[in-house]
Amino acid sequence: MIGQVTERELTPNLREKLTNIESELTSLQLTPLALAHGINIVESETDTLTNIPYIKGRTIVNHVPLFDSGLWEKHANASFDSATKMRLDSTGVSGTLVSYIFLDLKSNTTYTISSVTSGRVMIREGHDTNGFTLGQIQKSELGYKTVTFHTLSESKITIRLDNESISNEVLTFENISLVEGAEPKEFVRGFQPIRNPMFTAHGKNITEGILPTSTSHSNATVIRESVDSIVLEWSGGFDYDVVNRNVSPNTNYVLSFNFEPLIIDDVTQSQIRAYVLNTEGEEVLTTGTGRYELVFNSLNRNRILIRINRRGGISENPNGRVRISNVQLELGTEATPFEPAKKSHMYLSDVTLASNEDGSVYDELRPGGDVVKRFKHKVLDGTLPWVSGTNFVGYTSVRLTDALISIGQAYSGLVGSFLQNFSSLIIKRLGSISEKNGAIEEYQWTTGGTFQIFLPNAQTGWGDNYTPTAGEIKAYFNGWRMYQNESGEGTPYNGTGIRAWNKLDPSSPSGVQVGSGTLTLPTDKNDNPNWQPYKLQYQLAHPRVEKVNPIGRIQLHEGNNHIEIGEGIVVREKANPASLVGGDGTVWINNSHASLTKTRLNVRAFYILDVYKNGKADPTWTIRQLRGDAFGNANASSNITRGYDPTAVYYVQYIAVPYEFSAQVTEVETSYPANLSSKINQHSGLLGNISERVGVNEKVTSELFTSVDSLKRGVRSRIIGKGGTVEGTHPNSNQELLNGIESIEMSALMSNTLIGTTAIGANNINAYASPTLTPEQIIYFTYSVGTGSLGNANWTSRVMVECNITPTGAVNFSRYTAADFPIFIAYQIFSFRNLKKVLRGSALVSPQQTGWLPHLITLPQNVNRLRSFVLATLSPAEASTRSYTAGQMYRAFLDSNTGLRVDFYAGTLNTEWKINYQIVEFL
């Protein structure tokens, strides 16, 4: 019968195909995928998405503080290259050159020490550089080395670094790690759990297009035509980073790119050299338009940098203009046709996965997106209810009134409890008070809830006979050391004389920040980047289950895929761009300069991925890696010419310096659909999750708008009821309501308004207003200047004047112009009462260009911008009658980060202008 076929009539081939189709449509099949830390090369037969992975938590505890901790005693011939590296130079010196640190560990316990070193590392029993040797790493060629040792009944040890009495060598000791157990682990500062796991995947082309602007010299400029094409122009030496990628070690790769010279004067003009940094020196030299290839092996490196610069010297290639496009980096030794980069990622932002020290108890991320939390972390700072305990000779105990409330419910056995102090030293926990070992920092946390820390007086600045107040204890945990002011820094306070405090700085020889002294009890946190608050990890009495919503999902493409497993991703942290006062106008994010502390990110940045402007990626920023002026390893810069907008909100996406932020994600178990039915099931689940999240967001958003609308209505009514005025209609903008609040405060605070005129005669640079006033009362004034007579003033001819209050209370106006005619000033002066503080200062600026310019001033203290007035004047730095092209000031205001911004007009270059400012905050 037509249209019907019996099973007997089916051919074996057709029967097999139908079976395969049925399998594709009816059964759920998942392919397991095990991944390790770093680069994994995965071959997929089809395009598909991976599922949320399974990850075990890890906490790595390094019992050796870094070299910036202030706890190392270094030899005179030793120097600290960084917080993680020491250099020992025995050139021309005989004998053993010893640097060391004393530590207090567990007795009768196995430990492993590791380091990248060329010198000798010895572990000695006791706090004695010549004590019994428990273990050692012999001096040899530079490399990664480990040794396992066992402590005896004595818990004190000494780690000793030396040259083994060999002269005329430069030895290095880097990334020293001491962990409990017989296996070495990765290097970290203090203790670090896994934080913010990240997964990225690339198809054939593992670049992400050509890197954003990253020239390291002003001789070169870049025009970014698209993600895959740039025009590069130079007038001198330069370096440009084209590719900066993590790779698989000891693997062959091939780079290919299109090259087109846009200036052709001779055979070498506008030609480039492309090379791989830190491999075997592989390079390719261009000779003209075409596609070029560069084959290399990654050797033992897990990250490579491909850089270009001009070919030849300045005599051969002084200027150039070229186009570079379609850059591709792929596996193998033969280049294939270009494909745009196919990248996907999954970020687990704000996810922490911890464990106890031996890894037997751990947090878990499960495939359904549940996080089983068995551990918690707490910052111990001045916000907690600290009280004094007992005074001892050389140390003092402090405690929390109820640790189970102040910190949280801990596991009864306190398994996995670690405490790290401000210098990243792991503090030993006492089982009982009878174990206390002199003036060494230790802590006790009993099952009954008692939590106390024994603090050395040399560290806190409290004398042996002094009981600190609750406020003084909080100041210490906020990063301040106390001293007696009359006797100077370093003198403990014993209850007599004037109290004073300095900011703790473990990297400083004195242990404190120079010039940070104050006589006022500090309540704010120490902002020194070398200080960190105390941190505690502890185990919960009962596990908690939290839900995680990954950002993105890993997509596998048909063929080879590079999947990278890492950690430490920081997603869209709010940035605080700023520029140096008197600088060239460059605006920075994450600059380590002492005057740019506000630009620093929350964690030292290892690699900056993107800068966002008002939520959108902003390619106008120059992102630089391997920077000596970065807080960490990377920073970003821009300026107004390139598109920086001081009114915009900027965010940064970056990877934190690994050892500062997270333990490694060592093992990952995931899966991906192996057939069509599984893919449909996976996508249905994803759509269901998205639908649920959208529904929840819509509900929350609706409730939020209703709440905000009601709040605005109430604020408007209160302003009007208090005698203020609100422009516009309901619902008012935030700015309209803020203006309304200020109208109330202006009305309540203003005591009088002085209006008048005064004249400055020809060849006279000063004039005084007639009223006599109190200098600290005058906080704001307006004025106009003009020429001619008061009845017929030419107000269009503006010059800038300076106003200040003389010691006798007169208002002094000064003008700077070469014009030989009288100038008339009409002024309005407001006097206020109930002032909170007056902040005065000045800044010098040398314009690098003419026209309207902004100038940012970093203020020496915090200012409430919503309750402050700004008075600023602009004048030449030299007070004389010499001729200046008039400088005009448009406005001065406090930005959202309480920096002072002054917009002014510069008529000429190389003229140094002085900005005088006065800021008053009122009650």
Side-chain angles (χ1 to χ4, degrees):
M1 183 180 293
I2 298 175
Q4 293 183 352
V5 181
T6 66
E7 185 175 350
R8 181 179 298 176
E9 293 172 309
L10 290 174
T11 65
N13 186 41
L14 181 57
R15 185 180 294 112
E16 182 182 355
K17 289 183 178 179
L18 289 174
T19 301
N20 290 339
I21 292 173
E22 182 181 17
S23 177
E24 281 284 318
L25 295 176
T26 60
S27 64
L28 296 178
Q29 300 176 15
L30 296 176
T31 299
L33 183 61
L35 303 171
H37 188 266
I39 298 294
N40 299 261
I41 299 175
V42 177
E43 186 173 0
S44 176
E45 296 179 356
T46 181
D47 291 352
T48 186
L49 294 175
T50 63
N51 293 309
I52 296 176
Y54 175 82
I55 304 175
K56 284 184 180 180
R58 296 175 76 230
T59 296
I60 304 302
V61 184
N62 183 4
H63 294 268
V64 177
L66 273 58
F67 291 122
D68 65 355
S69 64
L71 301 175
W72 283 89
E73 293 290 337
K74 66 181 179 68
H75 190 273
N77 287 60
S79 60
F80 297 151
D81 288 1
S82 67
T84 63
K85 183 177 181 180
M86 188 187 85
R87 183 183 304 272
L88 180 61
D89 188 351
S90 63
T91 303
V93 182
S94 60
T96 305
L97 314 182
V98 177
S99 300
Y100 63 92
I101 187 171
F102 293 149
L103 297 176
D104 194 12
L105 306 177
K106 297 178 185 177
S107 59
N108 301 309
T109 304
T110 299
Y111 289 89
T112 299
I113 191 167
S114 60
S115 176
V116 178
T117 182
S118 56
R120 182 169 65 173
V121 180
M122 304 185 74
I123 302 93
R124 300 276 191 155
E125 186 181 23
H127 287 178
D128 182 358
T129 57
N130 295 311
F132 176 75
T133 300
L134 299 173
Q136 66 177 312
I137 297 174
Q138 297 288 356
K139 191 183 84 65
S140 61
E141 293 296 319
L142 180 66
Y144 177 76
K145 302 159 191 175
T146 70
V147 67
T148 297
F149 66 95
H150 196 81
T151 58
L152 304 177
S153 57
E154 169 65 80
S155 62
K156 295 178 180 179
I157 70 162
T158 300
I159 296 179
R160 165 177 158 166
L161 314 178
D162 66 44
N163 61 329
E164 212 168 312
S165 300
I166 298 177
S167 302
N168 301 318
E169 286 188 326
V170 177
L171 307 173
T172 57
F173 305 83
E174 188 171 10
N175 292 1
I176 300 178
S177 176
L178 176 63
V179 297
E180 187 176 325
E183 296 294 330
K185 296 182 175 70
E186 67 267 25
F187 170 75
V188 298
R189 178 195 286 269
F191 73 80
Q192 300 292 349
I194 293 173
R195 290 189 177 95
N196 300 7
M198 57 178 291
F199 310 84
T200 57
H202 292 81
K204 180 180 75 172
N205 185 356
I206 69 170
T207 71
E208 298 176 14
I210 302 175
L211 286 176
T213 306
S214 61
T215 52
S216 61
H217 201 284
S218 58
N219 292 337
T221 58
V222 176
I223 300 172
R224 192 169 176 83
E225 298 180 316
S226 70
V227 172
D228 293 308
S229 180
I230 61 168
V231 171
L232 178 64
E233 187 169 355
W234 68 85
S235 58
F238 73 95
D239 288 308
Y240 186 88
D241 299 337
V242 181
V243 176
N244 191 343
R245 296 296 306 145
N246 286 348
V247 294
S248 180
N250 302 305
T251 304
N252 290 327
Y253 288 89
V254 57
L255 171 77
S256 57
F257 61 92
N258 290 342
F259 174 79
E260 179 187 358
L262 301 178
I263 299 176
I264 305 175
D265 292 339
D266 56 51
V267 69
T268 60
Q269 189 84 14
S270 284
Q271 301 301 321
I272 65 167
R273 165 182 174 250
Y275 64 102
V276 183
L277 204 65
N278 296 328
T279 55
E280 293 296 320
E282 294 93 340
E283 65 177 27
V284 60
L285 305 176
T286 64
T287 57
T289 299
R291 188 159 184 84
Y292 291 82
E293 299 177 9
L294 174 60
V295 179
F296 64 94
N297 188 281
S298 57
L299 303 178
N300 63 346
R301 301 188 179 277
N302 54 22
R303 191 174 191 89
I304 57 101
L305 180 67
I306 299 176
R307 180 172 286 176
I308 63 175
N309 55 25
R310 65 182 180 184
R311 175 181 174 182
I314 191 168
S315 60
E316 301 174 76
N317 203 357
N319 304 292
R321 191 168 188 266
V322 302
R323 176 176 287 112
I324 300 169
S325 61
N326 292 1
V327 176
Q328 180 162 286
L329 182 64
E330 57 187 309
L331 288 165
T333 57
E334 294 185 5
T336 61
F338 170 76
E339 290 182 10
K342 297 176 181 178
K343 179 192 175 186
S344 59
H345 66 253
M346 180 166 64
Y347 297 153
L348 298 171
S349 179
D350 300 322
V351 171
T352 300
L353 301 169
S355 74
N356 61 348
E357 194 159 8
D358 66 9
S360 59
V361 183
Y362 46 83
D363 296 334
E364 297 174 272
L365 171 64
R366 294 178 174 173
D370 289 337
V371 178
V372 180
K373 297 287 292 182
R374 295 183 174 90
F375 294 89
K376 191 173 181 180
H377 298 87
K378 182 77 174 180
V379 171
L380 306 184
D381 57 17
T383 62
L384 298 176
W386 295 101
V387 295
S388 61
T390 307
N391 294 346
F392 301 91
V393 176
Y395 64 99
T396 303
S397 71
V398 298
R399 59 187 175 85
L400 291 169
T401 52
D402 190 335
L404 297 184
I405 296 175
S406 304
I407 298 177
Q409 182 66 47
Y411 178 65
S412 60
L414 296 174
V415 179
S417 170
F418 310 120
L419 178 63
Q420 171 183 314
N421 76 359
F422 66 90
S423 60
S424 302
L425 175 68
I426 301 298
I427 306 304
K428 183 179 178 181
R429 184 169 67 87
L430 301 175
S432 67
I433 195 66
S434 62
E435 298 175 11
K436 187 71 190 78
N437 199 355
I440 295 175
E441 187 170 11
E442 295 167 313
Y443 79 105
Q444 182 188 24
W445 192 3
T446 68
T447 56
T450 299
F451 184 93
Q452 61 179 336
I453 306 178
F454 302 93
L455 299 170
N457 291 340
Q459 195 167 286
T460 61
W462 307 327
D464 287 348
N465 300 316
Y466 182 71
T467 300
T469 66
E472 291 165 351
I473 299 172
K474 291 182 177 184
Y476 170 76
F477 282 102
N478 279 335
W480 298 82
R481 188 171 79 186
M482 198 171 176
Y483 66 96
Q484 189 197 46
N485 184 59
E486 293 88 340
S487 300
E489 300 175 0
T491 303
Y493 184 77
N494 260 311
T496 60
I498 298 175
R499 302 177 304 170
W501 290 264
N502 265 322
K503 292 179 181 178
L504 285 164
D505 179 0
S507 68
S508 168
S510 63
V512 295
Q513 179 179 319
V514 176
S516 63
T518 178
L519 301 180
T520 303
L521 176 65
T523 57
D524 55 334
K525 280 189 178 180
N526 184 347
D527 59 1
N528 187 297
N530 298 312
W531 173 86
Q532 296 186 6
Y534 280 66
K535 298 172 185 176
L536 176 71
Q537 172 182 302
Y538 61 95
Q539 187 171 342
L540 298 169
H542 305 286
R544 300 172 183 171
V545 178
E546 302 173 355
K547 198 72 176 177
V548 63
N549 291 312
I551 300 172
R553 192 65 66 90
I554 290 297
Q555 182 173 5
L556 299 179
H557 297 279
E558 184 178 357
N560 284 329
N561 294 264
H562 262 62
I563 300 181
E564 182 178 358
I565 308 301
E567 57 284 320
I569 180 68
V570 180
V571 177
R572 301 205 182 195
E573 178 184 313
K574 188 177 182 298
N576 297 298
S579 61
L580 283 171
V581 176
D584 61 2
T586 299
V587 181
W588 292 95
I589 293 175
N590 204 44
N591 194 296
S592 61
H593 193 283
S595 298
L596 294 173
T597 55
K598 66 176 289 186
T599 73
R600 295 173 183 169
L601 298 170
N602 291 336
V603 187
R604 285 180 170 88
F606 177 68
Y607 191 88
I608 292 179
L609 299 172
D610 290 294
V611 177
Y612 296 87
K613 175 182 178 180
N614 294 332
K616 295 182 178 180
D618 185 357
T620 64
W621 285 79
T622 298
I623 297 175
R624 295 183 173 95
Q625 319 297 343
L626 302 173
R627 295 286 298 184
D629 58 354
F631 183 57
N633 195 60
N635 59 24
S637 64
S638 185
N639 56 45
I640 287 181
T641 304
R642 292 214 309 265
Y644 170 69
D645 180 0
T647 66
V649 180
Y650 289 91
Y651 297 87
V652 182
Q653 199 144 292
Y654 65 98
I655 300 172
V657 170
Y659 73 84
E660 294 269 7
F661 191 68
S662 178
Q664 290 180 359
V665 180
T666 54
E667 297 179 1
V668 174
E669 298 174 12
T670 186
S671 61
Y672 59 90
N675 63 357
L676 183 59
S677 177
S678 302
K679 287 184 181 180
I680 293 172
N681 183 70
Q682 181 193 59
H683 283 268
S684 297
L686 289 173
L687 289 173
N689 291 339
I690 292 171
S691 177
E692 179 183 357
R693 289 163 66 181
V694 168
V696 171
N697 286 340
E698 286 179 346
K699 181 176 183 298
V700 172
T701 301
S702 175
E703 293 173 351
L704 179 62
F705 275 115
T706 301
S707 176
V708 170
D709 184 79
S710 175
L711 179 62
K712 284 188 172 183
R713 188 184 299 276
V715 172
R716 176 187 174 90
S717 298
R718 294 294 297 274
I719 291 173
I720 295 173
K722 292 289 186 178
T725 57
V726 181
E727 297 180 356
T729 59
H730 178 77
N732 295 95
S733 68
N734 292 339
Q735 190 59 54
E736 288 172 342
L737 293 175
L738 289 174
N739 292 341
I741 293 171
E742 290 182 0
S743 70
I744 300 174
E745 293 167 341
M746 287 283 290
S747 174
L749 291 170
M750 190 179 300
S751 59
N752 61 354
T753 302
L754 305 174
I755 302 175
T757 58
T758 190
I760 299 178
N763 298 318
N764 188 358
I765 64 170
N766 291 306
Y768 295 91
S770 55
T772 300
L773 306 164
T774 303
E776 289 299 314
Q777 270 193 317
I778 307 305
I779 65 170
Y780 195 74
F781 75 94
T782 61
Y783 60 86
S784 297
V785 295
T787 59
S789 64
L790 286 177
N792 185 26
N794 176 14
W795 301 113
T796 60
S797 176
R798 296 178 61 84
V799 296
M800 185 56 58
V801 299
E802 183 178 1
C803 174
N804 66 297
I805 310 302
T806 69
T808 60
V811 184
N812 177 25
F813 295 99
S814 300
R815 56 119 175 161
Y816 303 92
T817 178
D820 191 12
F821 45 76
I823 290 178
F824 297 91
I825 302 171
Y827 60 87
Q828 203 171 16
I829 302 173
F830 303 95
S831 177
F832 292 85
R833 57 180 178 268
N834 298 331
L835 301 184
K836 182 178 180 182
K837 59 185 175 184
V838 178
L839 176 63
R840 301 175 186 269
S842 63
L844 298 178
V845 55
S846 299
Q848 303 299 308
Q849 61 190 67
T850 59
W852 287 103
L853 304 171
H855 189 75
L856 300 176
I857 300 173
T858 301
L859 299 177
Q861 62 192 70
N862 292 329
V863 177
N864 186 334
R865 69 185 182 91
L866 299 180
R867 302 185 61 82
S868 301
F869 286 93
V870 177
L871 162 65
T873 60
L874 184 75
S875 64
E878 300 178 19
S880 68
T881 58
R882 58 176 291 189
S883 176
Y884 285 96
T885 301
Q888 301 177 31
M889 187 172 66
Y890 168 57
R891 61 178 178 174
F893 64 95
L894 294 168
D895 66 15
S896 59
N897 297 308
T898 65
L900 175 61
R901 173 176 164 181
V902 179
D903 292 346
F904 66 94
Y905 183 87
T908 57
L909 296 176
N910 303 319
T911 300
E912 192 172 58
W913 294 92
K914 183 179 182 182
I915 298 171
N916 289 305
Y917 61 86
Q918 182 179 232
I919 301 170
V920 173
E921 187 175 330
F922 50 84
L923 299 175

